[in-house]
Amino acid sequence: MTIDRRKFFKSIAITGMTIIGVNASGAPKAKSEDEETEFYGILYDSSICIGCQACEKACAKAHGLPEPTDKPEVGVVRKTSENQRCVLNSYETSQGEVYVRNQCMHCNEPACAAACLTQAMYKTKEGPVIWREDKCMGCRYCMISCPFDVPKFEYGSTNPKIQKCDMCYDRIIKGEKPVCVETCGDALFFGTRRELVAEARRRIAEIPELYIDSIYGERVAGGTGYLYLAPVAPGELGFDTRIQPSSYPALTKGFLYSVPSVFILVPTLLLGIHEATKSRKTKDENHD
Amino acid sequence: MTSPIIPLTKTAKDQSTWRFLMNELKPRGKWLTPFNLISIPIILVGLALIVIRFTEGLGAVSNINQEIPWGLWKGFNVVTGVAFAGGAYVLTFIVYILKVDKFHSIVRVTVLNGFLAYLFYAGALVLDLGKPWNIFNPIIGNNFGASSVLFLVAWHFLLYIVAQLIEFSPAVAEWLGARRAHKLLSGLTLGAVIFGITLSTLHQSGLGALFLMASQKIHPLWYNEFIPILFLVSSVFAGLSMVIFEGSISQRVFFRKISSKNRESRNSLVQSLSKICAFSMFAYLAMQFLVFIHGQHWDLLNTPMGYWFLLEMIGFVLVPMALFFYASRKSSILLSRVAAIITILGIILNRLNVSIIAFRWDAAVHYVPSWMEVVVSITIILIQIWIFRWVISRMPVLDESPKWAQKASH
């Protein structure tokens, strides 16, 4: 009987260690990928965009989605949906009417990918954050976690998909540009993130009266693959100003890192208390 | 010692096993009770709605939308339900680790409750999943999303269900009269208890940690970095209040099952549980207060959401805490039960606040569950009660173990 019990504890310990091991191995892997590769991204220049919706239409066609029928209008906020991966919006700002494109931001440290328990949401080493249908179980935790409210779920389907911009990942690995960039004249600029930041800085320096001196996406949510040049602050362009400047997955880091210590300390403590109370009880019995 | 592990599976006895199980599946006593008359139609409607959900998609039944993707099934059945199942880990800690023997008579029923709760809330989760056939992806294969809190919670759900099954299994062995298996399974109890408590501390807090990344989506009065700890501490009194509440009902419904000795000791049990509830609620309130001060949200108190927050904290934590203290002083079982019910409502309020009500409180379209979601939520709970009742009236859960099993454990 004692051997059985010992064996049992051993198996518990092994199970516990696998969980710890699994949890511990996740973080450093992502980091080394970060260092090796350069993420691709897209720079959107709102001073060039004329709101023609050519990118929206090309996107819908490329991904088998219905062509959008509504137009960007001041005062109407269009949102991405399960039928539309990107939208253009128009805002009346202190600098006149400004167009803004909304789609997945392709964060450097995406909350959706950190949230996903099957790695269906996945930050590729090329930069795009993609969704992989065969892995997804449809829990929608990515939607809870994404600060930009990007992933959209097909509630009307019995085999629902998550719809979101994937930066045309299939084209990027073939060496092509995303369809929106391909279609657009000049407002969208594709390149590695480093190039994009340099290009954005250059534009700001060249025509400072056209832009505010800040690139939206350079720091927000820990940095995003999509970068914005605009004449006004992001708050005027429908962006949620409460989105924090640092990484979202970092918010759960403390909790996840405490797991291994809990797995070691709590059982030890419990066994200790169990042993302590046991000896006291036998003493009591001896007195009887 | 030479008898097989489960003697009833012997080929010679095969037929009698079958007959025994068939016999046990039949209902006992009259079945036209008020509870049955109310629950059967609801369950039938609920099952029909579940069929619709799988043939027409989630949107046909549920009001969840793109901005509020988790509705009643996750917020109530999973996030709230698991808090109520917390009684199992607290009581197993008290009975098997601290060896406070007077709680022994209620530990089995609590573990059974916890086990069924987890089983059915995992079921509710399957209903809510868009692609439930992929549910095994995080368990097998190379799809470990190890940086996900939900990954941790999913694994812990699974392992904890197994741990609770092991904790409860001696009762099943006693029911089947399997002596050898009983001895073996009883030997596993302590390991399962220790493992189970560890898992519970992590996933009770993990359910709170799920919302850590939704930092600007949850109203600042409910969102803070301490949600995991607050969830863990509140699961203690949530679980014990459920034990008190459930005890008061099963005492009436299963009156004959409870031995007269245990019936007498119930009052003192409830008194002790009230005290534990009161102290853990005090700790919880103190933490909430510190978090509130730390967050510097005084200005938010004078808003509608602020009143709602104060109602939760004062009406559903402070008041029942005071009631619990008073009840344990006066050893008033009635007051304890009232306090337990208020506490239960308060936990429902708190969990729904974090997961649904204060989640995207600023959204243009608010989520209100459809009647169909409500019926399915209730159906899940009713089926759970049916199975609970079936087990109680057949296995030695509330009543004493058979003589042979008692002897073996000493």
Side-chain angles (χ1 to χ4, degrees):
Chain A
M1 206 57 224
T2 42
I3 293 167
D4 279 352
R5 193 173 283 180
R6 202 170 288 162
K7 260 189 193 161
F8 181 70
F9 279 127
K10 218 178 182 181
S11 62
I12 285 178
I14 291 166
T15 326
M17 290 309 276
T18 31
I19 292 171
I20 295 163
V22 164
N23 275 331
S25 67
K29 216 196 283 170
K31 208 177 178 184
S32 68
E33 275 174 9
D34 257 15
E35 284 161 3
E36 278 170 24
T37 55
E38 269 204 78
F39 292 151
Y40 284 110
I42 292 173
L43 173 67
Y44 171 80
D45 191 332
S46 66
S47 70
I48 302 176
C49 178
I50 52 166
C52 70
Q53 288 182 292
C55 58
E56 278 187 21
K57 287 170 188 157
C59 176
K61 202 176 161 204
H63 299 105
L65 296 168
E67 189 168 300
T69 49
D70 54 339
K71 287 191 162 58
E73 245 179 275
V74 174
V76 181
V77 178
R78 299 165 76 218
K79 285 179 175 168
T80 56
S81 70
E82 68 268 36
N83 293 321
Q84 228 178 329
R85 292 184 175 190
C86 59
V87 290
L88 282 166
N89 272 309
S90 169
Y91 290 93
E92 190 58 50
T93 68
S94 49
Q95 302 291 318
E97 194 180 348
V98 177
Y99 288 106
V100 172
R101 195 172 189 276
N102 294 109
Q103 72 298 305
C104 175
M105 299 290 283
H106 299 282
C107 305
N108 290 349
E109 292 178 64
C112 58
C116 186
L117 74 169
T118 58
Q119 296 187 333
M121 271 304 171
Y122 184 68
K123 177 79 175 169
T124 58
K125 63 180 192 320
E126 290 84 4
V129 178
I130 58 166
W131 173 77
R132 301 185 288 189
E133 179 161 21
D134 56 327
K135 296 186 189 295
C136 177
M137 52 192 243
C139 71
R140 308 188 293 288
Y141 186 33
C142 50
M143 300 168 74
I144 293 273
S145 305
C146 174
F148 300 97
D149 268 338
V150 164
K152 296 284 145 73
F153 186 81
E154 294 178 340
Y155 285 109
S157 165
T158 49
N159 185 11
K161 291 190 180 80
I162 292 278
Q163 287 289 359
K164 77 176 240 342
C165 164
D166 62 355
M167 218 196 272
C168 294
Y169 180 62
D170 46 342
R171 291 172 63 95
I172 289 180
I173 48 175
K174 278 190 276 177
E176 297 169 43
K177 288 177 184 174
V179 279
C180 52
V181 181
E182 194 89 358
T183 319
C184 184
D186 273 324
L188 291 171
F189 185 77
F190 178 75
T192 67
R193 201 168 174 272
R194 199 191 306 266
E195 290 166 4
L196 298 182
V197 172
E199 172 67 16
R201 290 251 164 78
R202 192 186 64 78
R203 291 187 194 184
I204 294 173
E206 227 158 63
I207 324 174
E209 60 274 17
L210 215 50
Y211 309 104
I212 55 160
D213 187 14
S214 130
I215 309 163
Y216 188 69
E218 196 182 8
R219 290 209 178 75
V220 72
T224 63
Y226 239 91
L227 300 170
Y228 287 79
L229 279 176
V232 288
E236 280 191 73
L237 299 173
F239 287 107
D240 190 344
T241 49
R242 295 167 303 173
I243 294 174
Q244 62 180 38
S246 54
S247 141
Y248 273 81
L251 292 170
T252 56
K253 225 168 226 174
F255 176 77
L256 286 170
Y257 280 13
S258 74
V259 171
S261 29
V262 169
F263 249 103
I264 292 164
L265 293 177
V266 172
T268 322
L269 184 73
L270 293 177
L271 257 182
I273 300 174
H274 172 77
E275 290 303 315
T277 49
K278 191 161 76 181
S279 63
R280 197 176 64 207
K281 201 183 171 192
T282 42
K283 253 183 213 165
D284 287 349
E285 276 167 8
N286 286 346
H287 280 297
D288 292 340
Chain B
M1 288 309 275
T2 48
S3 65
I5 288 180
I6 302 169
L8 287 168
T9 51
K10 256 185 178 175
T11 39
K13 283 188 180 175
D14 235 15
Q15 217 170 358
S16 69
T17 313
W18 184 245
R19 213 174 292 158
F20 171 72
L21 283 176
M22 286 312 286
N23 200 30
E24 291 287 88
L25 277 176
K26 276 182 205 152
R28 287 192 180 165
K30 54 175 185 176
W31 65 278
L32 278 175
T33 57
F35 173 74
N36 287 2
L37 286 177
I38 296 168
S39 65
I40 290 173
I42 297 178
I43 290 176
L44 289 177
V45 174
L47 292 177
L49 290 171
I50 290 172
V51 171
I52 295 175
R53 177 257 167 273
F54 281 109
T55 51
E56 306 284 320
L58 261 174
V61 179
S62 173
N63 272 354
I64 42 178
N65 56 44
Q66 303 291 4
E67 276 168 350
I68 301 156
W70 284 4
L72 201 63
W73 297 346
K74 278 218 176 84
F76 181 67
N77 291 65
V78 181
V79 179
T80 313
V82 166
F84 290 134
Y89 84 89
V90 180
L91 270 188
T92 52
F93 174 71
I94 295 172
V95 171
Y96 294 107
I97 306 294
L98 296 181
K99 311 243 175 46
V100 184
D101 266 342
K102 69 173 174 179
F103 291 101
H104 210 284
S105 63
I106 56 166
V107 77
R108 242 184 208 179
V109 66
T110 311
V111 169
L112 172 66
N113 230 333
F115 170 68
L116 290 177
Y118 275 86
L119 208 58
F120 277 84
Y121 301 154
L125 208 65
V126 173
L127 293 184
D128 196 69
L129 289 181
K131 295 168 176 289
W133 49 89
N134 279 346
I135 193 170
F136 295 108
N137 271 355
I139 309 292
I140 49 168
N142 56 350
N143 299 321
F144 289 154
S147 58
S148 168
V149 178
L150 195 58
F151 176 77
L152 181 103
V153 171
W155 263 95
H156 283 199
F157 260 47
L158 184 77
L159 294 174
Y160 191 50
I161 288 176
V162 175
Q164 285 190 313
L165 188 62
I166 294 171
E167 286 168 25
F168 186 70
S169 59
V172 182
E174 285 166 22
W175 169 61
L176 294 168
R179 296 182 184 213
R180 182 98 167 82
H182 181 267
K183 201 179 170 196
L184 189 87
L185 292 170
S186 303
L188 295 177
T189 301
L190 180 65
V193 163
I194 290 180
F195 192 44
I197 296 169
T198 313
L199 290 171
S200 291
T201 51
L202 282 172
H203 72 239
Q204 291 285 359
S205 51
L207 280 174
L210 282 181
F211 296 97
L212 283 177
M213 278 199 283
S215 56
Q216 86 272 0
K217 294 187 186 181
I218 297 173
H219 191 277
L221 284 172
W222 282 273
Y223 179 86
N224 54 69
E225 57 195 297
F226 302 101
I227 296 182
I229 297 171
L230 293 172
F231 265 48
L232 176 64
V233 175
S234 54
S235 77
V236 173
F237 56 83
L240 293 183
S241 294
M242 206 50 166
V243 169
I244 296 174
F245 176 68
E246 180 270 326
S248 71
I249 291 174
S250 60
Q251 202 171 3
R252 249 169 250 168
V253 181
F254 305 105
F255 184 74
R256 270 168 298 165
K257 284 257 159 196
I258 304 168
S259 70
S260 56
K261 191 186 84 186
N262 284 345
R263 226 176 285 153
E264 279 162 26
S265 70
R266 284 238 156 188
N267 283 4
S268 100
L269 284 188
V270 170
Q271 205 184 332
S272 311
L273 291 178
S274 303
K275 223 179 272 175
I276 302 173
C277 281
F279 278 111
S280 54
M281 287 169 100
F282 181 76
Y284 175 72
L285 259 187
M287 288 164 88
Q288 280 282 14
F289 186 67
L290 285 177
V291 167
F292 173 73
I293 298 284
H294 187 72
Q296 297 177 321
H297 295 311
W298 288 102
D299 51 322
L300 289 175
L301 278 187
N302 199 15
T303 63
M305 284 313 265
Y307 306 145
W308 187 239
F309 178 75
L310 285 176
L311 176 75
E312 182 196 318
M313 285 305 142
I314 295 172
F316 291 93
V317 185
L318 186 68
V319 169
M321 179 191 85
L323 269 180
F324 269 130
F325 265 123
Y326 190 70
S328 69
R329 270 272 177 98
K330 298 273 163 189
S331 62
S332 158
I333 201 159
L334 179 74
L335 267 184
S336 287
R337 281 172 189 167
V338 172
I341 290 169
I342 301 175
T343 308
I344 286 169
L345 293 176
I347 289 293
I348 295 175
L349 198 60
N350 173 258
R351 297 303 196 260
L352 290 187
N353 272 338
V354 172
S355 61
I356 295 175
I357 300 170
F359 187 88
R360 291 309 307 263
W361 81 103
D362 53 349
V365 184
H366 281 281
Y367 162 81
V368 178
S370 69
W371 68 269
M372 294 179 275
E373 280 178 276
V374 177
V375 169
V376 171
S377 276
I378 295 172
T379 299
I380 292 165
I381 295 168
L382 287 178
I383 297 178
Q384 189 198 335
I385 295 174
W386 270 70
I387 294 188
F388 179 73
R389 189 175 59 172
W390 184 85
V391 174
I392 293 268
S393 49
R394 277 153 189 86
M395 298 181 194
V397 176
L398 283 169
D399 41 354
E400 305 273 327
S401 301
K403 281 264 153 51
W404 60 265
Q406 284 184 0
K407 236 178 267 169
S409 65
H410 280 295

